[in-house]
Amino acid sequence: MTTHALKCTCNDLVLGDASVPEIRQLLAAAKLPASELKSNLPPLHAITTELNRARSLGQPVDTLHLIAHGQPGVLSFGDQRIDRAALLFHAGDLGCWGLRTIAL
């Protein structure tokens, strides 16, 4: 019997906070392409880097799934936060992401 690896034809990417063991477990078990966001980079910069890496591999992302802790108006990645001020400050970078959907 021959087995074939399933190739994902979707354009989804799951990114999660690497500082949380439970999130790392979720990422390891994901059925979609997934990666950990390391806390040594600002989270929006790390997301941009991952999206650019996927694009350079010929796998552009349409839907980005972010897994992190937070509260209303704030996502936390390690000790760094994404809030309204960060989104406004990085609006130009976010516009280059080319996403259809961001799922939180």
Side-chain angles (χ1 to χ4, degrees):
M1 182 171 134
T2 304
T3 60
H4 298 279
L6 293 176
K7 182 179 177 188
C8 181
T9 58
C10 60
N11 292 341
D12 290 37
L13 177 63
V14 180
L15 298 177
D17 182 359
S19 71
V20 180
E22 293 84 359
I23 293 176
R24 286 196 311 267
Q25 289 175 346
L26 287 171
L27 295 170
K31 305 250 188 248
L32 297 170
S35 185
E36 298 176 1
L37 289 177
K38 309 294 184 200
S39 61
N40 61 334
L41 290 175
L44 292 174
H45 177 74
I47 293 167
T48 301
T49 299
E50 287 295 322
L51 293 171
N52 287 339
R53 183 185 63 78
R55 195 175 297 119
S56 73
L57 295 172
Q59 302 165 347
V61 176
D62 287 330
T63 301
L64 174 63
H65 304 263
L66 292 176
I67 303 174
H69 284 101
Q71 56 192 15
V74 178
L75 285 176
S76 298
F77 290 88
D79 62 353
Q80 300 186 53
R81 301 164 35 116
I82 297 176
D83 58 14
R84 183 178 189 274
L87 293 172
L88 290 172
F89 185 79
H90 294 280
D93 294 333
L94 302 178
C96 294
W97 285 4
L99 300 171
R100 290 185 187 179
T101 306
I102 298 175
L104 305 176

